[in-house]
Amino acid sequence: MSSDFEAYEQDVGTLTAEITNKIGRIPKLAGEEKTQLVLNVDKQLEEVRELLEQMDLEVREIPIQSRGMYNSRLKSYKQEMEKLEKDFKRSRIAYSDEVRNELLGDDGSSSESQRAHLLDNTERLERSSRRLEAGYQIAVETDLCIMCRVQIRGRWSLTS
């Protein structure tokens, strides 16, 4: 039974080395190649999870006297797996940020032009607001004048 555990151990070691290598390459790639690598790493992580489950089952069948040593090795592999998953998540976040920047056309050189557009739009908004306020004021004054004339005409008709 320990030979099965050791075979699984070798497979886990090989896969984690491949995954570590690929995780390091993810931020350096672009496009379809990067997407395929992310999918491949995800698949390999799932394989490692399955191998760890098999190793856990094997440890349960090992005699109690030897079980402690195998449990500590398994625990070490599980910790390595957690580290790989965190590293992969970080590389995927960096990947997502790059994709977002590509889609939005967000690069460092355009920040000045974006700032200029923002200032232009702010000024345009302020001018429009002043025109609207002036138009509203004219409407209110016109309304008051009409009301005054109606009241004056109403008085004339009452006195006449």
Side-chain angles (χ1 to χ4, degrees):
M1 286 188 219
S2 66
S3 63
D4 289 338
F5 183 89
E6 290 168 357
Y8 292 139
E9 204 171 25
Q10 286 179 342
D11 292 342
V12 167
T14 302
L15 281 171
T16 56
E18 289 177 16
I19 292 169
T20 302
N21 181 12
K22 290 176 182 177
I23 288 174
R25 289 181 22 219
I26 288 173
K28 299 171 187 167
L29 298 175
E32 185 64 27
E33 189 176 6
K34 183 178 271 190
T35 303
Q36 289 302 318
L37 189 60
V38 167
L39 293 173
N40 187 285
V41 168
D42 202 30
K43 182 179 174 183
Q44 285 184 319
L45 284 171
E46 184 58 35
E47 288 178 37
V48 172
R49 282 185 209 98
E50 291 173 10
L51 285 170
L52 291 175
E53 287 177 18
Q54 290 299 320
M55 290 170 74
D56 194 27
L57 293 173
E58 289 294 321
V59 166
R60 293 178 189 180
E61 294 181 14
I62 293 176
I64 295 175
Q65 300 86 356
S66 305
R67 197 176 292 173
M69 176 183 69
Y70 288 101
N71 269 329
S72 65
R73 287 163 57 182
L74 179 60
K75 183 179 176 182
S76 173
Y77 288 118
K78 286 181 178 180
Q79 289 172 342
E80 177 69 20
M81 178 65 180
E82 289 175 11
K83 181 185 174 299
L84 283 174
E85 287 175 331
K86 286 178 185 176
D87 291 347
F88 181 55
K89 185 176 180 181
R90 283 188 197 114
S91 72
R92 286 182 67 170
I93 290 170
Y95 168 69
S96 298
D97 287 345
E98 289 177 18
V99 169
R100 179 188 169 278
N101 290 341
E102 285 177 23
L103 289 173
L104 296 176
D106 188 20
D107 58 359
S109 64
S110 68
S111 66
E112 288 301 318
S113 66
Q114 287 176 348
R115 181 180 169 91
H117 285 292
L118 181 61
L119 289 173
D120 289 343
N121 289 337
T122 302
E123 290 174 13
R124 187 176 307 144
L125 181 61
E126 288 174 358
R127 283 193 306 267
S128 296
S129 294
R130 285 193 297 268
R131 280 192 221 122
L132 282 172
E133 287 174 11
Y136 177 76
Q137 187 64 34
I138 291 171
V140 168
E141 289 173 4
T142 303
D143 239 9
L144 286 174
C145 288
I146 292 173
M147 289 173 63
C148 288
R149 288 185 182 161
V150 167
Q151 285 180 348
I152 292 172
R153 285 186 186 155
R155 284 187 197 158
W156 281 343
S157 64
L158 290 175
T159 57
S160 334

